[in-house]
Structure formats: C-alpha cells, structure tokens
C-alpha cells in the first residue's frame, strides 16, 4: 500500500481515498539495480526468505524478477496451509504449493513449508470430527502433505501459533480441544516420519520479547526437547510496529535461551508497520529502516539463527493492509524500488 503521512490520513478521513491519489513518496533505486540481498545474507551465513503467492509468480514479471534476484528462501504465504491443500476431506490439491516449489527450484532457492497444523486456514469440516476422526485426519494431513513435499522443502512450520495470546497456556483450538495438549508432540513425530530430512519448527507470533507468551513458548519447546520429540527449532514471526517493537536485547536473550536448549531459531514472518509512527514520510521510513536493521542484526549475530523470512517483499502485496490498515511494511515499495528498510537489512547482514 502507498504510504501517506498520518496527518494526511486524518485530513482525508481514511487511508483508502487519500492513498489512491498520492504518489509513492519513496524514490529508491529499482530492485534490479541494487546488490542482491541474498549475497549479503550469505556473507552472514543466513538464508533470506520471503513469503510468496503463486498467483503473482504467474502474473507479475517484476515480482518474479525482484524475488529471484534478492531471496534464497521462499515460504508459501497461503498455498501450503490446510484449507487450500485439503478443503474437502481426502481431496488434495497441491497445485499452488507445487508452483512455488517449481519456481524455487528453478531459481536455486530453498523452500519452507508453512504450516501443517494451524487453527487458521483450516477448513470447517475439521471442526465437525469426533476426537478419533480428528486424530486420523491430522495424521493423514501431515503424512500426505509432508510426504508430498519430501525432498523439496528444507523446513516445515509444523505447528503454528499454539500458545494462547496471554501466555496462560495452550490456545483453545479445534486441535487442543479435540486432541489435548499432546497434539503438538504428535504432529512433530508424524512430520519427522513423513520427511526425515526437513528441519521442523514451532512457529509463533508476539513471542519475541520477554513476557508471559515467550515464557510459555520456551516451556513448551523445552518440554518437547526433554521428551525427545523431534523439534529442530523455533520461528519468531516478528510482525512488529515501529512504535513499539521488541527490544533487540530482549530478542537476543530470548533466542539465547532457545539456542541453549539445542534448538535453531529463525525470524519467520517479519514486517514493520509504520502507520502509527509520527513525522514526515522520510522520518517514518528511516525509523522503519532502523527497526529492520536492529532486529536483523540480532539474527546476524546469533550463529544458530539460520534464516530470516519477510512476510512478502513489496508493499504492493502485503497482508498488513487488509488485517491492520493501509501501511508500507516491507523492503520494496509498490514500484519495486528499494526502500531505506532494504538497506537497513543489507547493512545488518554485512555487519554495518
Ligand atoms: C496470513 C497471510 O498473509 C494471508 O494472506 C492469509 O489470508 C492469512 O494468513 N501468521 C502466520 C501467517 O503464521 O500464516 C499469516 O499469514 C500471518 C500471521
């Protein structure tokens, strides 16, 4: 979405009508002319990824060009979730995910599957099953999907967002209600059997800073490790707001305690909202650059943080606009020009 100063938003009574008449205020260099981000990431020994949608791969040459130049890792933003793959019980459609894998393989990129068990994007039929049928359905879904992508994905988000928002315990979902807390351990065991090579991650949002939720995630994965459940690491989604982002020292401390359990960590879905930041557009973009820089620098400095994935890469296509309001949360603007945030990430990978 196009970025407009807050004062202008207020004057026009909404982002939609004003944004439509405002030219994109950043005029950075085209994606095609800046050094590939994947090279900077490789210097730091990291994979750099973006969430992608197969529709844009097929329809937008600029999208394809920027993606293949700058990223070494892709995640399906939607197409490997339960609903698109098995909307009807027993009927599997891998077309969207397969297109993403084919693109990645043609461009020398790794793929992360996302996500095998998540309360979001789960079709309604799953909620109608008896506990026994639900167990069979989860088992079958994981085996079929992870089996299908075996040898084609480097990693899976096996379980996504299983902890309650306030950190009080597990989230109340169709899975926790029907199967009890052990559905998480079972999902990891099944995923390992279906794809013994893939790294298996637990993925969570808002568990980056110190607090009840990150504590609960830590306890959860510690318990899995102690019980010998095959989990390789934890993804920190990192959907943050520039005005209240988790402090780098807190993120580092949180990563350290997970690493001390023998786990890998990664930043799995980063974007930085600037809608509520004050100042001129240039100031807000500079703030966004600093936030991206300082958070990516934490991963760059942590040897066991192996990858950083952004939840998209161009402000033209971001889930943020529809879920949080018009914003400009990513590394390239709507015209695929590199924003200050792009250079913040590049600097962090290069240790600058
Ligand atoms: C979002 C996608 O970006 C949207 O396109 C989709 O409609 C809903 O899901 N945490 C996650 C992601 O783990 O799967 C979510 O992705 C964003 C929040």
């Amino acid at each position: 979405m196009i970025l407009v100063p807050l004062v202008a938003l207020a004057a026009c009574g909404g982002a939609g009508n004003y944004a439509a008449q405002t030219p994109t205020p950043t005029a950075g260099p085209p994606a095609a002319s800046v050094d590939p981000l994947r090279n900077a990431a490789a210097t730091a020994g990291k994979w750099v990824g973006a969430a992608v949608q197969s529709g844009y791969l097929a329809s937008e040459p600029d999208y394809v060009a920027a993606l293949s130049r700058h990223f070494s890792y892709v995640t399906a933003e939607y197409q490997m979730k339960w609903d698109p793959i098995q909307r009807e019980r027993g009927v599997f459609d891998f077309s969207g995910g397969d297109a993403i894998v084919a693109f990645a393989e043609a461009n020398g990129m790794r793929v992360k599957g996302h996500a095998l068990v998540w309360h979001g994007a789960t079709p309604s039929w799953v909620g109608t099953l008896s506990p026994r049928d639900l167990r069979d359905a989860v088992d079958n879904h994981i085996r079929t999907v992870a089996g299908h992508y075996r040898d084609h994905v480097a990693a899976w988000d096996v379980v996504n967002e299983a902890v309650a928002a306030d950190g009080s315990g597990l989230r109340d979902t169709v899975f926790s209600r029907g199967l009890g807390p052990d559905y998480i351990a079972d999902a990891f065991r099944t995923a390992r059997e279906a794809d013994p090579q893939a790294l298996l991650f637990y993925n969570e949002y808002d568990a980056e800073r110190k607090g009840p939720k990150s504590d609960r995630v830590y306890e959860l994965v510690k318990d899995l490790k102690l019980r010998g459940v095959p989990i390789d690491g934890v993804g920190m989604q990192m959907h943050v707001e520039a005005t209240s982002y988790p402090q780098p020292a807190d993120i580092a401390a949180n990563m350290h305690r997970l690493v001390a359990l023998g786990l890998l960590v990664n930043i799995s879905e980063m974007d930085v909202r600037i809608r509520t930041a004050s100042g001129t557009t240039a100031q807000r973009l500079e703030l966004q650059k600093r936030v991206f820089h300082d958070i990516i620098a934490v991963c760059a400095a942590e040897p066991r943080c192996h990858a950083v994935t952004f939840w998209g890469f161009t402000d033209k296509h971001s889930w943020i606009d529809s879920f949080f309001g018009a914003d400009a949360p990513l590394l390239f603007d709507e015209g695929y020009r590199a924003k200050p945030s792009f250079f913040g990430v590049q600097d962090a990978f290069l240790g600058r």
Side-chain angles (χ1 to χ4, degrees):
M1 182 46 84
I2 289 166
L3 180 67
V4 290
L6 266 190
V7 57
L9 285 178
C12 288
N17 49 8
Y18 192 85
Q21 6 166 320
T22 309
T24 306
T26 57
S33 74
V34 287
D35 285 348
L37 196 59
R38 57 196 285 170
N39 293 354
T43 304
K46 314 295 179 191
W47 306 347
V48 62
V52 303
Q53 305 223 21
S54 59
Y56 304 134
L57 291 177
S59 64
E60 266 198 63
D62 288 350
Y63 182 93
V64 170
L67 181 64
S68 53
R69 177 176 178 84
H70 290 289
F71 297 92
S72 56
Y73 196 29
V74 291
T75 301
E77 180 169 352
Y78 177 65
Q79 278 124 348
M80 292 193 191
K81 292 172 181 173
W82 191 318
D83 190 50
I85 286 189
Q86 195 191 173
R87 184 157 299 151
E88 251 181 84
R89 190 170 187 186
V91 180
F92 290 84
D93 176 0
F94 293 109
S95 55
D98 287 358
I100 290 170
V101 168
F103 171 82
E105 291 182 347
N107 287 279
M109 300 158 134
R110 291 184 172 89
V111 178
K112 178 167 67 175
H114 172 89
L116 293 170
V117 181
W118 182 38
H119 60 277
T122 291
S124 52
W125 63 263
V126 176
T128 66
L129 303 176
S130 67
R132 172 182 295 212
D133 270 8
L134 178 61
R135 185 176 308 279
D136 286 350
V138 172
D139 188 82
N140 185 47
H141 184 78
I142 296 174
R143 279 185 206 287
T144 307
V145 177
H148 178 84
Y149 288 113
R150 183 176 173 160
D151 300 328
H152 296 283
V153 299
W156 268 108
D157 288 332
V158 177
V159 177
N160 192 28
E161 302 182 350
V163 167
D166 64 2
S168 58
L170 289 189
R171 181 185 289 273
D172 179 32
T173 68
V174 60
F175 304 110
S176 61
R177 272 194 304 280
L179 304 174
D182 255 354
Y183 84 90
I184 298 174
D186 290 343
F188 278 92
R189 291 193 189 102
T190 310
R192 179 67 97 222
E193 278 177 35
D195 184 346
Q197 304 300 325
L199 296 169
L200 303 182
F201 287 100
Y202 176 76
N203 196 49
E204 188 58 87
Y205 76 94
D206 226 359
E208 294 90 7
R209 66 185 91 216
K210 280 188 195 151
K213 191 165 181 192
S214 61
D215 288 351
R216 187 70 194 91
V217 169
Y218 173 75
E219 294 302 332
L220 170 70
V221 299
K222 181 178 174 190
D223 176 62
L224 294 175
K225 275 300 274 187
L226 288 174
R227 290 160 60 199
V229 174
I231 176 173
D232 296 301
V234 173
M236 298 182 181
Q237 292 188 8
M238 211 66 77
H239 296 291
V240 304
E241 257 191 286
T243 48
S244 63
Y245 63 100
Q247 289 308 294
D250 274 3
I251 299 169
N254 201 17
M255 283 185 178
H256 287 149
R257 67 176 172 172
L258 294 167
V259 165
L261 295 174
L263 294 168
L264 288 167
V265 290
N266 68 85
I267 292 175
S268 57
E269 304 186 11
M270 188 169 183
D271 42 36
V272 179
R273 305 194 292 278
I274 52 174
R275 183 181 170 81
T276 60
S278 57
T280 64
T281 297
Q283 287 168 334
R284 294 159 76 201
L285 291 171
E286 278 305 308
L287 171 64
Q288 183 181 51
K289 172 183 183 177
R290 194 162 74 239
V291 176
F292 269 108
H293 173 275
D294 291 358
I295 292 178
I296 300 303
V298 174
C299 178
E302 169 53 66
R304 297 278 289 167
C305 182
H306 76 114
V308 173
T309 292
F310 304 98
W311 210 238
F313 56 99
T314 165
D315 291 339
K316 188 173 181 184
H317 304 301
S318 164
W319 76 301
I320 293 294
D321 288 345
S322 46
F323 282 77
F324 293 89
D327 212 313
L330 291 164
L331 306 185
F332 296 95
D333 71 14
E334 297 208 334
Y336 295 95
R337 289 174 294 252
K339 293 166 60 186
S341 52
F342 171 88
F343 295 101
V345 172
Q346 187 179 56
D347 284 350
F349 282 135
L350 296 175
R352 300 193 289 227

